[in-house]
Amino acid sequence: MPYLIPVFGGKLVVRGRPPPLATTGVLFMCAHRTLMDPLALTVALGRRVTAVIYSISRLSELLSPIRTARLSRVREVDTGHIAAELAWGDLVVCPEGTTCREPFLLRFSMLFAKLTDRIVPVAIDYKVGFFHPTTATGWKVMDPLFFFMNPRSAYEVTFLSQL
């Protein structure tokens, strides 16, 4: 992906410093603007991160270039899944549970805060000129296509704290 961004006329802007690689998993918490948020975070980090997913299609999951962990929305079951994923490595959670075009956060679940104290908040935003890269209804798998259809698209990833 990092090589594809300039080919399609886009750029990735990274602000702040990501935490160093650790022996235990770090939970990255970010707003959920598009389906590509975990992918942009992975590229900004320069290391593999597993993305927690709730309700994306199996096709999107199969096409994903990064590892995904599907949750069930059953609190007790999801607590075990997230804990197991954190033992395996870094994890990105978009606690809003859905994408949002608006410049504010939606109400979100605090389950992630009860599982670890190794949390790094990340601000994610995109800059586009014409096409919104968030499919309001329909196929979310189309989000990357709409993002790259913009002539000078940019993704901004800002690490808001260090561990």
Side-chain angles (χ1 to χ4, degrees):
M1 163 119 176
Y3 305 109
L4 290 179
I5 293 172
V7 168
F8 288 104
K11 71 178 185 174
L12 177 68
V13 178
V14 180
R15 295 189 173 94
R17 287 190 3 226
L21 191 58
T23 56
T24 60
V26 174
L27 190 124
F28 294 94
M29 182 195 75
C30 66
H32 200 16
R33 302 298 304 265
T34 77
L35 192 63
M36 298 182 309
D37 298 340
L39 188 56
L41 177 63
T42 299
V43 172
L45 281 169
R47 63 184 191 241
R48 295 211 173 261
V49 177
T50 300
V52 170
I53 58 171
Y54 287 108
S55 60
I56 67 169
S57 71
R58 294 286 182 190
L59 177 62
S60 295
E61 193 174 355
L62 288 171
L63 293 175
S64 175
I66 62 175
R67 188 171 179 269
T68 59
R70 184 174 287 275
L71 297 183
S72 64
R73 294 193 188 255
V74 176
R75 192 174 193 86
E76 297 77 27
V77 173
D78 291 347
T79 299
H81 284 139
I82 292 174
E85 291 296 333
L86 283 170
W88 184 81
D90 294 339
L91 191 63
V92 60
V93 173
C94 302
E96 294 171 286
T98 188
T99 55
C100 178
R101 290 183 184 182
E102 304 303 324
F104 52 81
L105 286 174
L106 299 174
R107 187 173 151 239
F108 59 87
S109 168
M110 294 297 291
L111 172 64
F112 65 89
K114 296 178 181 181
L115 298 174
T116 183
D117 59 352
R118 299 181 50 79
I119 299 173
V120 175
V122 180
I124 292 189
D125 198 10
Y126 60 83
K127 305 291 183 207
V128 293
F130 190 71
F131 295 104
H132 279 285
T134 302
T135 309
T137 60
W139 295 353
K140 295 258 183 229
V141 75
M142 299 297 287
D143 286 4
L145 176 67
F146 288 124
F147 178 76
F148 286 121
M149 284 173 60
N150 288 287
R152 285 181 297 281
S153 55
Y155 231 95
E156 297 178 359
V157 177
T158 305
F159 295 95
L160 300 172
S161 75
Q162 280 281 319
L163 290 178

